[in-house]
Amino acid sequence: MTTTARPTVLPRPYRLDVHPPVAGDGAGIAGDVRRGLLASPKELKPKYFYDERGSELFEEITRLPEYYQTRTERAILTRIAPGIARRHRPAELVELGSGASRKTEALLRAMLRDGTPVRYVPFDVCAEIILQAANRLALSFPELSVHGVAGDFDHHLDALPERDGTRLVAFLGGTIGNLAPRARTPFLHRVARLLGPGDLLLVGTDLAGDPGRIVPAYNDAAGVTAAFNLNVLTVLNRELGGDFRLEAFEHEARYDPGPPWIEMVLRSREDQRVRLVALDLEVEFAAGEELRTEISCKFTRESVADMYAAAGLELIEWHTDEAGWFAVSLARRAE
């Protein structure tokens, strides 16, 4: 008996555009770190968490029992993705801060269900994590076209490829909450410029609520978030010739009901002086002095609608889990 082997179906090739960090002492990591360490109080931008090791640690955080955000958002996306694909028929998914692209699979699966060609454009600061995700997705969805972009939100949003059909821009994981309120509107103005007629913005937001539930998500029992926070000092040592000693700092996360937000800091355990050779800079830390590394703002439906309106967008769909811990919303450019 003769048997005929099935032809192997190879995944479609994918593309990755890598945009180097902005050069110059006043721009990129050098300028951001100089300004942040000379500020009072001292602070760093959270985007510098996400080197390859930081991205790996964050993926570990998303699997922790205390970190309800990822599994809650994934459940919402799984529930609503078929309806979004059916009602709005996007042909392209642009994901800002894509990371490992795991929550995105629910959206891609729904978009590909009727056989329509789909392009996925993951945008992240870490090229390595985009490559890992693109490899996995190309095997899972051979019909998917992947065009990754490694770059910085502050400088490279205009480097996204030209839109290819109706576009859905996703900004998930509550990452919008890492932007200070004063920075949120300018950022969303830039995002709005990515949207044409019929295009949509999909945003995940962590909702204000019980600090007893929220704080442990940033201060887990296994210490993974502490390692993630401290890893930013490793990034500064490597990129700027720093001599931070990780053991000389400790992680803390606390809830501020005023904004409301979580504030994550590194506290100096002792009086110390740190040098960064690339900046020709020495910085003193007093014992107990804090370096703020992240805020994570919490929202209500009203504050999300106001956030969109300030950027010339309008809220058109609002989806939460049953407990009201997390929300995924759709917006479009206001007419």
Side-chain angles (χ1 to χ4, degrees):
M1 185 175 70
T2 302
T3 59
T4 303
R6 281 188 173 183
T8 300
V9 179
L10 297 175
R12 298 178 65 174
Y14 54 84
R15 173 175 171 176
L16 175 62
D17 300 337
V18 179
H19 298 276
V22 176
D25 188 54
I29 187 171
D32 287 342
V33 171
R34 178 183 293 278
R35 285 187 291 271
L37 292 181
L38 294 178
S40 182
K42 297 178 175 68
E43 62 180 352
L44 295 174
K45 291 188 175 184
K47 64 185 175 183
Y48 298 117
F49 283 133
Y50 297 99
D51 66 343
E52 187 172 7
R53 177 57 179 157
S55 296
E56 291 171 353
L57 284 167
F58 184 72
E59 286 305 306
E60 189 175 345
I61 288 169
T62 65
R63 297 189 290 269
L64 294 169
E66 296 96 332
Y67 200 81
Y68 62 88
Q69 290 97 323
T70 297
R71 61 179 177 269
T72 306
E73 184 180 40
R74 183 183 289 120
I76 296 170
L77 289 170
T78 300
R79 187 182 81 237
I80 69 174
I84 290 174
R86 184 175 61 253
R87 289 189 299 276
H88 303 290
R89 304 189 67 79
E92 175 181 81
L93 175 61
V94 176
E95 185 175 11
L96 306 179
S98 54
S101 303
R102 296 197 180 278
K103 294 190 296 289
T104 321
E105 292 186 23
L107 292 166
L108 293 174
R109 190 171 292 109
M111 291 168 64
L112 288 162
R113 188 163 294 164
D114 64 0
T116 303
V118 170
R119 180 171 71 171
Y120 176 49
V121 183
F123 184 110
D124 199 271
V125 70
C126 180
E128 291 83 1
I129 203 75
I130 295 176
L131 283 173
Q132 292 170 19
N135 275 313
R136 190 187 76 254
L137 292 171
L139 292 171
S140 299
F141 304 105
E143 66 275 39
L144 181 69
S145 172
V146 180
H147 185 154
V149 180
D152 186 324
F153 290 155
D154 293 335
H155 303 286
H156 300 126
L157 280 184
D158 59 357
L160 287 168
E162 290 294 323
R163 60 197 293 272
D164 185 18
T166 302
R167 171 180 275 180
L168 176 63
V169 177
F171 196 40
L172 301 173
T175 310
I176 190 71
N178 296 147
L179 298 176
R182 67 181 181 277
R184 214 176 287 149
T185 299
F187 170 75
L188 286 174
H189 269 301
R190 297 197 300 275
V191 173
R193 290 199 293 269
L194 304 176
L195 305 178
D199 293 346
L200 297 168
L201 173 62
L202 182 75
V203 178
T205 47
D206 199 14
L207 299 180
D210 179 12
R213 165 178 53 83
I214 296 172
V215 172
Y218 300 84
N219 194 25
D220 61 278
V224 182
T225 310
F228 172 73
N229 198 6
L230 287 161
N231 182 67
V232 75
L233 302 182
T234 301
V235 173
L236 301 191
N237 286 347
R238 182 181 65 243
E239 299 296 327
L240 298 174
D243 61 0
F244 283 95
R245 293 178 295 114
L246 274 62
E247 67 275 11
F249 291 84
E250 60 184 348
H251 160 79
E252 182 180 337
R254 54 178 176 256
Y255 187 82
D256 185 337
W261 66 33
I262 284 282
E263 188 174 47
M264 207 158 72
V265 303
L266 292 170
R267 180 182 293 108
S268 179
R269 296 178 182 270
E270 59 193 50
D271 293 336
Q272 56 179 305
R273 178 176 295 173
V274 175
R275 178 164 174 76
L276 296 103
V277 174
L279 302 183
D280 190 23
L281 179 67
E282 287 191 353
V283 181
E284 293 188 354
F285 286 85
E289 186 176 358
E290 296 177 347
L291 171 62
R292 188 169 75 181
T293 54
E294 182 180 85
I295 61 169
S296 183
C297 298
K298 308 307 171 188
F299 295 87
T300 64
R301 178 171 182 155
E302 292 72 23
S303 65
V304 169
D306 290 344
M307 172 185 75
Y308 286 143
L313 299 162
E314 62 175 337
L315 173 67
I316 61 170
E317 292 186 23
W318 178 261
H319 306 276
T320 70
D321 60 292
E322 288 186 6
W325 291 358
F326 202 93
V328 175
S329 57
L330 271 176
R332 65 187 174 197
R333 293 180 69 165
E335 297 179 359

